[in-house]
Amino acid sequence: MNGYCIKKGNIGLLHLHNRIMILNEDKDSYCRMIGRGLMIMGLGALISSLLSACLNNENYLFILLASSAIGVTMCYYAVFKYNMYRKIQS
């Protein structure tokens, strides 16, 4: 749910540092990228838990790990692109 809210541009759900350091013209792109990363992690957790519960098999951990890795990578990329890059420039 938070991933969807952030993706729609509600930057208030993120840390105060991100609201200060992100330029106004980059806030929408930053929110979309962070929101997508969080949604990928959430969907991966949901899918792997449903498959594990329905099929009584624990081999779906790779879905959880892969979606978490992709989501965290997207979030770190957004922070680097829109936040850290600005620090390096100045």
Side-chain angles (χ1 to χ4, degrees):
M1 183 68 171
N2 282 344
Y4 181 75
C5 292
I6 293 170
K7 184 180 173 193
K8 290 297 180 185
N10 188 358
I11 199 167
L13 295 172
L14 297 175
H15 194 270
L16 178 64
H17 173 75
N18 295 323
R19 287 181 265 170
I20 295 170
M21 293 300 292
I22 304 297
L23 298 174
N24 283 335
E25 59 265 14
D26 292 337
K27 284 186 180 181
D28 289 336
S29 300
Y30 179 75
C31 287
R32 270 196 304 272
M33 193 171 290
I34 293 287
R36 285 179 187 150
L38 292 175
M39 287 173 40
I40 287 171
M41 287 188 281
L43 286 175
L46 179 68
I47 291 170
S48 66
S49 63
L50 287 176
L51 288 175
S52 180
C54 292
L55 301 177
N56 286 335
N57 194 347
E58 296 177 359
N59 293 332
Y60 297 104
L61 184 62
F62 70 92
I63 295 173
L64 177 64
L65 295 175
S67 65
S68 296
I70 292 169
V72 167
T73 302
M74 287 180 71
C75 291
Y76 275 119
Y77 177 72
V79 168
F80 180 76
K81 182 176 180 181
Y82 296 110
N83 196 350
M84 298 297 286
Y85 184 71
R86 187 168 160 212
K87 285 183 182 179
I88 293 170
Q89 290 283 330
S90 57

